[in-house]
Amino acid sequence: MKNKLHFTAHLDRPVCVTRLEGALFTGDSMAHTIAVTCLREGVPVLPSGRAGAYFLRADGVTVPLTGEIAGREILVTLPESCCRVPGRFLLAIRLTEAEETLTVFAMEGHVRSGKTDVMADPESIIPSLDSLLAQIERMEQAEGEVQSAMTSLRQLTGQVLSAEDAALAAAQEATDAARTALEAAARVPEAGQVASVNGRTGDVTLTAEDVDAVPMP
């Protein structure tokens, strides 16, 4: 299933950028292996050192790749991250030995979009990324409004409780005042009764002098 694309690299010549005939497609993953046969003076040679590559995507992101040396070929397989963004790409394959690094092969081409960001199924249409982001933004705004309403409700509840406490305190004061008034009324003598005699209250014993009476002889 893997597509193996064969190319040659002349190690004794300047690198010329090879144009890829055809195109890669978004969504391709580990499906394309670039196989480069190394030549010197037109004769295949065994490459030495470590093989690596860089895949420069259309969005400016560079994807580092690990290569493999298999006989006279350098093999580089392209992961999904290479074909994620449609547009023009550049692939550079390098050999590193000791402190020397040499670009031995370069290729440019295009990644074509194999699908859009809107997909349909038998029951519904999956919205685009922009639509999803807009929905998320509306949900966040609604959540903020709910939080604001909850804060206002808590404040209103606190005000109601404070008013209730004030009403209970006023009712208690009114009850105390009524009790005091009832106690005072209970101490007022009824009609025909006296509250004091000669300035004295309670059980009073009167003498003749108290009422200016003349003692009997």
Side-chain angles (χ1 to χ4, degrees):
M1 187 173 178
K2 187 173 295 187
N3 183 21
K4 194 173 184 180
L5 306 176
H6 294 272
F7 301 93
T8 57
H10 295 270
L11 302 184
D12 52 354
R13 300 179 187 177
V15 175
C16 295
V17 178
T18 300
R19 175 73 180 176
L20 176 65
E21 298 296 334
L24 308 178
F25 284 86
T26 56
D28 291 352
S29 178
M30 308 302 290
H32 305 286
T33 296
I34 310 301
V36 179
T37 300
C38 295
L39 304 176
R40 191 179 296 277
E41 297 182 353
V43 178
V45 296
L46 294 175
S48 60
R50 300 189 314 275
Y54 291 99
F55 190 99
L56 179 59
R57 299 189 322 206
D59 60 353
V61 173
T62 299
V63 181
L65 303 172
T66 300
E68 174 188 356
I69 296 177
R72 290 182 173 85
E73 291 183 327
I74 302 173
L75 305 178
V76 176
T77 300
L78 305 181
E80 184 273 337
S81 57
C82 291
C83 301
R84 187 174 300 168
V85 178
R88 187 176 178 180
F89 73 83
L90 176 67
L91 173 67
I93 297 178
R94 298 177 176 181
L95 284 176
T96 299
E97 187 173 8
E99 297 181 355
E100 296 182 0
T101 298
L102 176 65
T103 298
V104 297
F105 179 77
M107 180 178 68
E108 66 177 5
H110 277 83
V111 176
R112 301 295 183 184
S113 179
K115 61 181 180 61
T116 65
D117 60 349
V118 178
M119 300 180 64
D121 59 30
E123 297 182 356
S124 62
I125 295 179
I126 301 173
S128 66
L129 178 60
D130 291 339
S131 298
L132 288 175
L133 293 176
Q135 292 180 13
I136 292 174
E137 183 178 359
R138 288 194 294 269
M139 291 174 60
E140 290 176 346
Q141 290 177 351
E143 183 179 358
E145 292 174 357
V146 170
Q147 293 294 336
S148 178
M150 291 297 295
T151 300
S152 299
L153 180 59
R154 284 192 292 267
Q155 293 175 349
L156 180 60
T157 302
Q159 294 173 359
V160 170
L161 292 177
S162 298
E164 183 178 355
D165 292 340
L168 290 175
Q172 184 63 45
E173 292 178 359
T175 301
D176 294 342
R179 183 181 297 110
T180 300
L182 289 174
E183 292 175 352
R187 292 194 295 270
V188 175
E190 299 179 0
Q193 295 181 344
V194 295
S196 64
V197 177
N198 203 25
R200 287 177 287 175
T201 61
D203 295 332
V204 179
T205 302
L206 299 177
T207 63
E209 288 114 3
D210 291 329
V211 295
D212 296 327
V214 178
M216 296 180 64

